[in-house]
Amino acid sequence: MSATAPLRPRKAQIDRTATALFRAQGFAATSMRELATALGLEAGSLYSHIKSKEEILHRVCFALADSFFAGFAAATQEAAPVAAQLRQAIVAHVRVLTDDSAASAVFLHEWRHLSEPARSEFLALRDRYEGAFRELIARGVAAGELHTPDPAFAALTLLASLNWLPSWYRPEGKLSPDDIAHRLAEQLLSGLVSVTGGNRGVA
């Protein structure tokens, strides 16, 4: 995927406001008129900035996808033990989720409203991202660092556990994003690390 271009300030404001509305009441229940009102604009003025609310949904979903892939790539680029790479991939995933919890919630739940061909493209990216975790876990099993009879199930379980985060994370909470990331990594890895060989390079 190509990097997402920076948005102009006005369009960025529109995206932030729309994302908050999409999260609060769902994409389908949010009208362009309601978005315009929240922005203090006339509906006609809003159309001079964007063509449709789906344009915003598309931008949010694919920008987050870019961020998830970039985080995973950075976590796995060094020749570290697989268990250590997996830990860093978990931390990177959590950082993306907590960087903008409203956008993360929209990414996780409102993508269903994307029209074709964007919907199929999004699903293909999601499958590829899950596949990257699956392959990393499988490599860890082959190297004797991780233990699971089913890397695919382990990857799905891991991501499902992480993706619950936007439903309860609060920026004003006691734990910082990094605190949460490292605690989740520790807890999730404890069920995968091989007793015989997986402690190497995990800490």
Side-chain angles (χ1 to χ4, degrees), residues 32 49 55 62 67 69 104 136 151 195:
M32 286 286 280
H49 295 283
E55 174 189 326
F62 284 86
S67 296
F69 275 102
S104 296
L136 184 61
V195 175

Side-chain angles (χ1 to χ4, degrees), residues 45-203:
S45 298
L46 181 58
Y47 281 105
S48 69
H49 295 283
I50 60 170
K51 295 178 182 178
S52 68
K53 63 178 184 175
E54 187 175 342
E55 174 189 326
I56 301 171
L57 179 63
H58 184 285
R59 195 154 48 236
V60 170
C61 287
F62 284 86
L64 263 289
D66 282 343
S67 296
F68 282 120
F69 275 102
F72 186 89
T76 57
Q77 66 181 354
E78 296 183 6
V82 176
Q85 292 184 40
L86 182 57
R87 173 183 288 277
Q88 290 307 310
I90 291 170
V91 169
H93 189 91
V94 171
R95 285 173 177 163
V96 174
L97 288 175
T98 55
D99 184 59
D100 187 338
S101 56
S104 296
V106 170
F107 171 90
L108 291 168
H109 303 296
E110 302 301 319
W111 62 266
R112 297 170 180 81
H113 297 286
L114 290 169
S115 299
E116 295 294 353
R119 190 173 190 274
S120 291
E121 182 182 352
F122 179 85
L123 288 173
L125 290 174
R126 189 181 69 174
D127 289 346
R128 183 153 65 89
Y129 185 70
E130 290 176 359
F133 271 88
R134 182 172 61 250
E135 291 170 9
L136 184 61
I137 292 171
R139 284 201 290 116
V141 172
E145 296 182 42
L146 305 176
H147 174 73
T148 176
D150 189 343
F153 183 78
L156 286 172
T157 301
L158 186 153
L159 289 171
S161 298
L162 295 176
N163 289 341
W164 187 248
L165 183 60
S167 68
W168 58 262
Y169 170 70
R170 297 292 179 269
E172 68 276 9
K174 294 181 180 179
L175 296 177
S176 71
D178 278 355
D179 290 334
I180 293 170
H182 289 292
R183 289 191 183 193
L184 282 172
E186 187 69 30
Q187 185 164 333
L188 291 169
L189 278 173
S190 66
L192 285 171
V193 172
S194 170
V195 175
T196 57
N199 290 326
R200 300 189 306 272
V202 178

